[in-house]
Amino acid sequence: VLLARNRFSYVTEQMRSTGRISGNLRAEGSFPDMDLSASLKGDETTFSGMGVNLKPSKARVSVSGRYPLHVIEELHAEIPQATLATESRDVQVRDIRVHAQKGSINAEKGLVSLPDVQLTSSLLKNLRLSLDVDEEQIVVDLKGVDTHLAEAALALGLVPSGWEVSGLDSLKVRAVLKDGDRLALTSTLGFKDFAFMDSSGNQMGEGILVEAVSGAEIDLKRSNVTANTTLKIDGGEVLWDNFYFNLAKNPLSVSLKGAYGIEKKSLQLSKMIVALKDILGLHIHGSILHQAQDPSMDLLAKIEETPLEPIYHHFVSEPFRMQKPFLASMSTKGSISADMRLMGTPNDLTAKGNFTWHDGELLSGNNSFSLQGIELELPLWYQTRKGTVVEETMKGKLSFQSMILPFLPEQPLNLPLDVGPNRLLVRSPTIIGIPGGDVTVGPMTCEDIFGAKRSVRTSLEITDIEINELLPGVWSSPIQGTISGGLDPIYYEGDTLTGQGEMKADAFSGRLILSGIEASGLSTSGPVFRLDAKWSDLSLAELTTDTSFGRIDGVLQGYVKGVEIAYGQPQAFDLLLETVKTKGVPQKISVKAVDNIAQIGGGTSPFMGLAGQFARFFKEFPYTKIGVHASLQNDVFRINGTVKDGGKEYLVKRGRFSGINVVNQNPDNRVSFKDMVKRIKRVTDSKSGPVTK
């Protein structure tokens, strides 16, 4: 029939066969009235062509009628096995059966009608095809229910290996060929109770309802295709890694309209809309040229103004609340919009656009911070080409009507933004008010903001901040003094922040200097903070007066190196505390302080028995030196005295003629830091002294 219309004669020209065919042919009657029947049987016969190898086992055809009109009484073929060659592998298809009855042929006019052809195989089942050929067109209809499309996609490698897919499908396809070069295609594909799951269980879905409707016009002469497709998924549930969607509540819809040039391999999108109901909608149009040697694109993407809260809930809060619990307690308000243009090739791609957030609000669940009246105009500029210096920037801004952060007073904030390829700049310094004064944050440069090596470089400067206003209640009595200094540069990369420079605190008649400030794992639930500190000329009298530890007179110096703090607890340090003899400053220690130092050092009170009775008559004792060296590493705490005399190690060395020695009775003393904290807590919580009157 196809040869009669001379439509697809090239198919037979590309076929080849090997082996033998046996059969019989019966013809009765006289021309033009005749009955014709034939049967064929393959004997190790193989037909191959167009990537298909098959071995027919049986074939029957029965035709009756009077020329030019004939009736196809029966058409039946059985193929036990066929091989489909795909890009990744060869697919074996078994038990192929084709059966048709009551067709008709008009040999003079080239008219053909096959109203019902049944097709089934191990790959696809329950397919029914109809063919109508007239003087103007060829019409082919294909339909089926429960054709096992999901299983066929898995067998053909269209689904990743290891996945499971299932679902009841329905299929309708119509192809209409007119004038030999204009082909119209329409199709409807549906799934009920569609389910899938990958091998790891991280991607899965069940109970999904799918309907895809497509229409296409193909100009075979010009090799051009125009198509219009809609996809609706409005039932079931999907979990994709951390993201969960209830598609009955928030259906997914996709509509696509465009043209495709087959020879040039170019796609022109006149409209593409992807929408999650009540969450997000994305509009795309432009062109894609997907030639193997030089693929390129020029696409415009746009998100119309939409409320932020549903987007934050579905794409931030719910997916990541287990890793970062604070996200679940945060609330957002305002509306966002965005537009982006993507141009170039994969090796030279540029994306430029803008993101806006109006009337915004960001609040923490525990009221620890609040950002209100947010106005953000953020330019976006992504570029894959490296090494190109572009001085041009796009202008933007970020402002808060009200910013409330821990330890900071409520205040507004305005930041002018400059955006270049893969970089964000704040060119001017920013002044932030803190209790007791102001902090100046220097110009900020953010590099590789879309990549794995994103970094931020800035600086920090403070001048004469009043300590008591900045840290009220941190000591037993108000601290009179100021903090000054600067960190330049402050550098953030790879989840680690470092600051070069020093911060100086003038307090307790001396000076404390912080340096080596560093933090790592800032995006994790347990960031680690590191620093070094040293101090000189600190008045012990000011440090210990009105404390539960006991009063000490003298001047203190020392350091703490390699401090590491995680989850609010120290996990490493090297600490030195020593007194220095200073003219005009007495060196005296109270009975309570002596007793507490002894207990912290792991020894017993020196005021036991007779010594305790003797201590009743004294409130303080002179000393020559106090020296403590302590360290923490791998949860092992050690404490030693720095004064050594006569084979003994002293935490407190008595005066020349009087006083009390505190001897470190176990220089190799090691305890867990948890036990040391309990020991210190018992000492500092004590309401009474070591001796009673």
Side-chain angles (χ1 to χ4, degrees):
V1 173
L2 296 176
L3 288 172
R5 289 300 302 269
N6 197 26
R7 301 288 187 184
F8 302 100
S9 60
Y10 70 94
V11 175
T12 59
E13 293 169 5
Q14 295 179 8
M15 298 291 287
R16 65 182 184 274
S17 65
T18 61
R20 293 172 298 178
I21 299 177
S22 62
N24 60 75
L25 174 66
R26 180 182 62 82
E28 295 179 349
S30 60
F31 186 82
D33 294 324
M34 62 183 302
D35 291 328
L36 174 68
S37 65
S39 64
L40 301 174
K41 182 177 181 182
D43 184 10
E44 299 298 326
T45 302
T46 300
F47 293 96
S48 63
M50 302 191 328
V52 179
N53 295 320
L54 53 87
K55 293 182 178 181
S57 175
K58 297 179 182 178
R60 298 192 307 272
V61 60
S62 177
V63 180
S64 65
R66 176 183 177 88
Y67 181 85
L69 301 177
H70 295 88
V71 175
I72 300 174
E73 301 290 349
E74 182 183 24
L75 188 153
H76 182 84
E78 296 180 13
I79 303 173
Q81 179 176 307
T83 303
L84 300 178
T86 67
E87 292 184 1
S88 59
R89 57 178 173 167
D90 291 342
V91 178
Q92 302 295 324
V93 184
R94 300 177 304 278
D95 300 328
I96 303 172
R97 295 172 182 251
V98 181
H99 184 78
Q101 286 183 328
K102 297 301 180 183
S104 64
I105 300 174
N106 186 323
E108 183 178 48
K109 295 183 179 181
L111 308 182
V112 179
S113 176
L114 286 173
D116 188 13
V117 180
Q118 301 173 26
L119 307 172
T120 186
S121 70
S122 62
L123 188 66
L124 290 171
K125 302 179 183 301
N126 305 323
L127 286 172
R128 304 182 85 95
L129 180 144
S130 67
L131 171 68
D132 284 294
V133 180
D134 60 27
E135 295 175 340
E136 296 181 353
Q137 64 184 16
I138 298 176
V139 180
V140 178
D141 286 298
L142 180 67
K143 62 182 180 180
V145 176
D146 193 19
T147 66
H148 295 205
L149 274 176
E151 293 82 352
L154 187 61
L156 292 172
L158 302 178
V159 177
S161 176
W163 283 50
E164 298 177 11
V165 291
S166 63
L168 178 63
D169 63 83
S170 60
L171 173 69
K172 292 182 180 180
V173 179
R174 165 166 280 205
V176 180
L177 179 65
K178 293 183 178 181
D179 302 326
D181 55 16
R182 292 187 296 118
L183 180 62
L185 292 174
T186 57
S187 67
T188 301
L189 171 64
F191 280 96
K192 292 182 179 179
D193 200 25
F194 181 72
F196 67 89
M197 184 171 67
D198 73 338
S199 57
S200 65
N202 292 327
Q203 287 93 38
M204 65 178 68
E206 62 181 10
I208 302 172
L209 299 177
V210 181
E211 182 183 58
V213 179
S214 298
E217 297 285 340
I218 304 174
D219 189 332
L220 299 176
K221 183 181 295 184
R222 296 181 176 86
S223 299
N224 186 59
V225 181
T226 59
N228 193 347
T229 300
T230 61
L231 170 68
K232 295 181 180 179
I233 306 177
D234 54 3
E237 300 172 283
V238 170
L239 176 66
W240 197 271
D241 291 331
N242 292 340
F243 302 95
Y244 167 79
F245 299 100
N246 183 335
L247 295 171
K249 182 179 179 181
N250 304 110
L252 171 66
S253 63
V254 179
S255 63
L256 169 66
K257 185 176 183 180
Y260 181 72
I262 298 175
E263 292 182 355
K264 294 183 178 180
K265 295 184 177 180
S266 63
L267 174 64
Q268 184 70 39
L269 290 174
S270 57
K271 180 183 71 172
M272 180 177 179
I273 301 175
V274 181
L276 270 171
K277 185 181 178 182
D278 298 330
I279 299 178
L280 182 65
L282 176 64
H283 298 246
I284 301 173
H285 68 274
S287 61
I288 299 175
L289 186 65
H290 64 97
Q291 294 177 348
Q293 300 299 323
D294 190 26
S296 63
M297 70 175 68
D298 187 354
L299 295 175
L300 293 173
K302 187 172 184 178
I303 298 175
E304 301 287 354
E305 187 167 342
T306 187
L308 174 61
E309 195 280 329
I311 299 173
Y312 176 82
H313 175 77
H314 285 88
F315 293 101
V316 180
S317 173
E318 280 298 308
F320 303 107
R321 61 189 178 89
M322 299 302 295
Q323 298 95 319
K324 297 177 173 57
F326 73 92
L327 293 174
S329 64
M330 291 175 58
S331 63
T332 61
K333 291 184 179 179
S335 60
I336 65 167
S337 62
D339 61 83
M340 179 73 72
R341 184 176 184 181
L342 294 87
M343 301 173 291
T345 66
N347 294 325
D348 188 8
L349 180 65
T350 298
K352 296 176 69 173
N354 291 276
F355 174 84
T356 64
W357 183 7
H358 294 308
D359 299 322
E361 186 174 291
L362 187 61
L363 305 175
S364 67
N366 56 6
N367 296 320
S368 61
F369 71 87
S370 167
L371 303 175
Q372 297 182 343
I374 301 172
E375 293 294 327
L376 173 63
E377 296 179 8
L378 177 63
L380 303 171
W381 192 341
Y382 170 75
Q383 186 171 288
T384 59
R385 186 174 62 235
K386 304 296 182 182
T388 302
V389 178
V390 179
E391 298 297 334
E392 175 193 357
T393 59
M394 301 166 62
K395 303 294 183 181
K397 68 177 182 178
L398 171 63
S399 64
F400 307 134
Q401 290 182 359
S402 171
M403 178 179 70
I404 302 176
L405 298 177
F407 311 113
L408 299 184
E410 182 178 359
Q411 59 192 295
L413 181 68
N414 292 280
L415 296 177
L417 305 177
D418 285 85
V419 173
N422 304 328
R423 56 204 304 256
L424 171 67
L425 309 173
V426 179
R427 297 187 185 276
S428 58
T430 303
I431 298 177
I432 299 176
I434 65 173
D438 294 327
V439 170
T440 301
V441 180
M444 184 182 303
T445 301
C446 306
E447 299 282 359
D448 195 25
I449 57 177
F450 301 106
K453 296 183 178 180
R454 65 183 63 90
S455 64
V456 179
R457 185 185 181 98
T458 186
S459 61
L460 183 73
E461 182 180 357
I462 60 177
T463 303
D464 297 333
I465 301 296
E466 295 292 334
I467 296 177
N468 190 50
E469 293 187 38
L470 179 64
L471 302 171
V474 72
W475 208 252
S476 58
S477 58
I479 301 175
Q480 302 303 318
T482 60
I483 299 177
S484 299
L487 300 176
D488 189 6
I490 297 175
Y491 191 70
Y492 173 82
E493 183 179 9
D495 217 20
T496 297
L497 182 145
T498 58
Q500 297 181 15
E502 296 179 340
M503 306 298 292
K504 303 173 183 178
D506 292 318
F508 301 111
S509 301
R511 171 165 287 185
L512 172 68
I513 299 176
L514 301 178
S515 61
I517 298 173
E518 180 180 321
S520 60
L522 289 174
S523 64
T524 67
S525 60
V528 178
F529 300 92
R530 300 176 181 86
L531 59 85
D532 297 325
K534 59 181 179 180
W535 46 85
S536 60
D537 302 326
L538 298 184
S539 170
L540 279 169
E542 295 180 34
L543 281 166
T544 59
T545 297
D546 298 328
T547 67
S548 61
F549 186 81
R551 180 184 172 94
I552 304 174
D553 289 322
V555 176
L556 182 68
Q557 68 178 12
Y559 62 78
V560 59
K561 298 178 181 178
V563 178
E564 291 186 4
I565 300 175
Y567 299 100
Q569 295 289 336
Q571 63 181 19
F573 60 74
D574 181 15
L575 172 68
L576 177 68
L577 299 169
E578 285 189 322
T579 59
V580 291
K581 195 170 184 178
T582 303
K583 186 177 179 179
V585 179
Q587 290 185 306
K588 295 182 180 180
I589 183 170
S590 68
V591 171
K592 187 174 184 179
V594 170
D595 188 67
N596 287 337
I597 291 175
Q599 292 186 52
I600 291 175
T604 59
S605 172
F607 303 110
M608 303 294 290
L610 183 60
Q613 297 299 320
F614 179 75
R616 291 174 178 269
F617 302 101
F618 297 91
K619 293 183 178 180
E620 57 186 23
F621 299 97
Y623 67 87
T624 300
K625 191 175 188 67
I626 299 175
V628 177
H629 183 212
S631 65
L632 173 64
Q633 191 69 40
N634 297 326
D635 197 39
V636 176
F637 185 85
R638 299 185 62 178
I639 187 168
N640 295 93
T642 64
V643 182
K644 297 181 181 179
D645 186 17
K648 293 183 179 181
E649 183 178 289
Y650 296 89
L651 300 172
V652 179
K653 188 71 170 67
R654 56 173 289 179
R656 181 176 299 179
F657 303 108
S658 63
I660 295 291
N661 288 324
V662 178
V663 178
N664 188 9
Q665 299 175 0
N666 184 9
D668 293 327
N669 181 27
R670 301 184 184 189
V671 297
S672 71
F673 187 67
K674 181 179 180 181
D675 291 338
M676 175 54 64
V677 171
K678 291 180 179 179
R679 187 184 299 176
I680 295 174
K681 186 174 178 61
R682 286 196 301 270
V683 169
T684 55
D685 286 348
S686 175
K687 301 298 183 181
S688 61
V691 294
T692 57
K693 294 182 180 180

